[in-house]
Structures are given as C-alpha cells and as structure tokens.
Amino acid sequence: MKLNQLFWAAALVTVSFACSDSGDEKPLGKYDNGILIMNEGNFGTNDGEVYHLNPTTEELLPNIFEAENLRPFAGLLEDMILEGDRLYLVANTGKVEIVNPADFKSLGAVASELDQPRSLAVNGTKLFISDYGPYDDNYGTPDSYVAVVNGLDGGVVSKKIEVSNKPEALFSYGNYIIVAGSEENKIEIIDAAQETVVTTLDLEASPKQFHAEGNVLWVYSITSDDVVFYTVNLNSLTLGNTYTIPLADATSRIAFDGDDEMYVLTSTGWPDYNDAVINIDIEGSNATATELMTGSGFYGIGYDHNSDQIYVANSNGFQGNGTVTVLSETGSVVRSFEVGRGPSGFLVY
C-alpha cells in the first residue's frame, strides 16, 4: 500500500493488541497506533524524517527514525510503504531504509545501486523499486528502471528492469507488478518471476497513484486541465472505465477515503502558488469536484478513516518547518500544528 503509496493514507484496524504468528496476543508497539507524518526534508541538507502523531491525545513525537536508531535518516524521504511487519522508507536520494513499524528499529536497507527511487512494492520475497534513473545532460531520465532486490530486509540490487521514463507508484497483484509510467502515459505490467515487462497499457493522461478496491485498481492520472481516473480489471489486467473531471493544475497528491471519494491538491505553481484542496466524488458514471480550502504551499494530503478527517501538509516554502492542518470532511479547520521540513504524506494506522 502507498501512501502509497502515500502521500495518501492507508487505514488499518485500531486494536489494543496485535496477534503474533503463533496466535498469541502481544502488546502493541510504541508506534503501532496513530498517524505517521512523512517529512520530505530539504534539498541539500537531506534532513527527511518521520513524525508520529497520536490523534487522540495530540501527542507528536518528532524524528522517530533518528530517536530509535541513534543516527539521522540522512535522505530526502519520498514514500512510506507498509507491507506486513515491515515499513519501507524510500529516499529519492538513493536508498531505502527498512524498519519495524512497531518500534521503528532498523531491519535493513538498500543503500547502493539506486539513483532516484520513487516507490516500492513487495512480491513474494522480492522488493521492486521504481527509480527515475540518473539525469542526462538535459535533465531527462532516459534510463528509468524498476530495481529488483531479493530479500524483504534489503540487500543488493540483482536486476534493473527497463521501463518508460519516470516511473512512480507500483502495485503488486498476483505474479505481477503494475507500474505507473508518468512521463510517457503508460501502465507497464511486470512479470515478477520473469522480471520483465510483459504488457503495456497506453493512456491519455499521466498516471501517478494507485488504489485498489476488490478486483478493481483505480489509477489516478492528470493532464494540465483534467483529473482522469482509469480503472484496471485486475483479473484480466485490462483497462475498464474512464472518469474525466475538468480540474486544472492538479498535483500528484491524492488521498482516498475508501468510499469512492478522493481528496486532491491543485497548485498554479510559481510565481503565484494559488493552491486548493479539492474533494472528488464519483457515483456511478458521474463525478463532481468541490473546493474545500484554498491557500499557498500545500504539499501533501492524507485521510484518517478513524475520524473522517483530512490532513493537509504545508511546506511553508521550505522556509523552516512545515505545518499540518486538519479539516473536517466539509472543509472546516479542526486544528493546525508544526511538523518537520517539507511534510508531504501520511500513513494512518
């Protein structure tokens, strides 16, 4: 799952005890409940980090990777992927750190042979990592790839699978890895056993994020003027419906509430940075967009299924720390608080 990744929220059942593989109950770890806040960090200083929020008590614990491992994260944090009893922290500065989500203690890493990793998916005992690859002289990325690592706790890259430029989100299903090829408007499907692309689906918009509901995969995609949702039938790996919503300047940030409603960010970019939080509601063949909040500096969004609240991250122009504003589903402000540098995503337990 992504925040998926991310920068969208993933909901888990909140309970008092977790079950071990033996069936015995064990107390939850320090970070097993609440919300993880992904702070990207500042380019050059590479000070990305994770905060933990208890939304009930409003207790906020900063820099939990450094606190639990006695070393800084030392990277720009791009994505957080929760898979079973492992949390993968993807840094677009060339590494993946793997921690136990209960206590945030390090379990391993992929610390070499990556260039600009973007996201990650697990298939069997393999890690698949989307990577822009190195920049060429014109800042293009003609050598983008999906890296393969044999081992859930990291290790070395065993293969780099060539894909279209600028792969973003990944989704694992059955024996396949589904890749969002953002620059060339493609969905590429990798056979996880063969470690090769076996199918390509061409789109009219740039795919950014995935969200699965049953045997249907939603593909969040954008153009300069529209938001486009494609559906993929996971049983046949073919395109299904397309929903187009006239909405200019949508960013790659999205949160799903699990009930055919989505929350996205728009931004006019430099020099005005007129930003907005938009609710998109899809019912049947109809889709509507409603503006909930406007401002400047919106950088990430998440949804807390436990409280039905929207979390909006503001980078504050990377001038010092960022802030998070919590909204009700109707857009009213519940509270705001300061977080780390460049907050960009949330993971809700």
Side-chain angles (χ1 to χ4, degrees), residues 98-120:
I98 305 160
V99 301
N100 179 341
D103 59 16
F104 247 70
K105 301 293 187 184
S106 176
L107 297 173
V110 182
S112 63
E113 302 182 79
L114 297 175
D115 294 283
Q116 301 181 76
R118 305 292 294 179
S119 192
L120 179 149

Side-chain angles (χ1 to χ4, degrees), residues 15-256:
V15 294
S16 299
F17 290 86
C19 292
S20 67
D21 292 338
S22 65
D24 297 329
E25 290 185 332
K26 60 180 181 180
L28 286 172
K30 185 176 181 180
Y31 306 112
D32 270 329
N33 283 333
I35 299 174
L36 297 180
I37 301 170
M38 181 173 71
N39 301 285
E40 180 179 303
N42 193 43
F43 181 77
T45 53
N46 293 353
D47 53 352
E49 252 293 357
V50 180
Y51 282 30
H52 178 271
L53 172 69
N54 182 325
T56 302
T57 65
E58 299 186 10
E59 180 185 21
L60 185 66
L61 299 177
N63 304 332
I64 61 176
F65 180 91
E66 182 172 8
E68 300 298 342
N69 296 287
L70 304 181
R71 60 183 174 91
F73 179 75
L76 295 179
L77 191 51
E78 181 66 31
D79 204 358
M80 299 188 298
I81 310 295
L82 180 64
E83 286 283 353
D85 56 359
R86 294 171 177 85
L87 179 67
Y88 297 89
L89 306 176
V90 181
N92 65 21
T93 38
K95 69 172 181 175
V96 175
E97 294 274 4
I98 305 160
V99 301
N100 179 341
D103 59 16
F104 247 70
K105 301 293 187 184
S106 176
L107 297 173
V110 182
S112 63
E113 302 182 79
L114 297 175
D115 294 283
Q116 301 181 76
R118 305 292 294 179
S119 192
L120 179 149
V122 174
N123 192 285
T125 60
K126 297 179 182 179
L127 307 181
F128 291 82
I129 305 165
S130 57
D131 197 307
Y132 279 7
Y135 284 124
D136 62 16
D137 292 340
N138 297 313
Y139 294 99
T141 57
D143 299 317
S144 295
Y145 57 87
V146 172
V148 183
V149 175
N150 291 297
L152 298 181
D153 291 331
V156 300
V157 173
S158 62
K159 184 174 181 179
K160 294 182 178 180
I161 304 168
E162 182 180 348
V163 294
S164 62
N165 291 351
K166 293 185 172 57
E168 293 286 354
L170 302 176
F171 183 78
S172 179
Y173 179 78
N175 295 322
Y176 299 101
I177 296 293
I178 302 174
V179 185
S182 68
E183 187 166 88
E184 298 181 53
N185 298 354
K186 298 179 184 296
I187 293 175
E188 289 155 298
I189 301 173
I190 294 172
D191 184 301
Q194 298 178 20
E195 299 178 0
T196 186
V197 175
V198 293
T199 303
T200 299
L201 306 175
D202 293 316
L203 309 178
E204 297 296 325
S206 172
K208 300 296 185 181
Q209 302 293 341
F210 296 129
H211 176 71
E213 291 184 11
N215 66 344
V216 174
L217 183 67
W218 289 84
V219 185
Y220 169 61
S221 309
I222 61 176
T223 70
S224 59
D225 298 316
D226 299 310
V227 164
V228 183
F229 289 97
Y230 299 96
T231 63
V232 174
N233 185 316
L234 291 173
N235 293 330
S236 61
L237 297 178
T238 56
L239 289 174
N241 298 325
T242 301
Y243 303 87
T244 301
I245 301 97
L247 184 63
D249 304 316
T251 73
S252 62
R253 313 299 193 185
I254 183 171
F256 287 78

Side-chain angles (χ1 to χ4, degrees), residues 255-279:
F256 287 78
D257 78 347
D259 191 28
D260 292 342
E261 287 197 45
M262 304 81 168
Y263 300 90
V264 304
L265 299 180
T266 63
S267 178
T268 58
W270 188 88
D272 299 320
Y273 288 103
N274 294 317
D275 302 345
V277 178
I278 307 293
N279 166 249

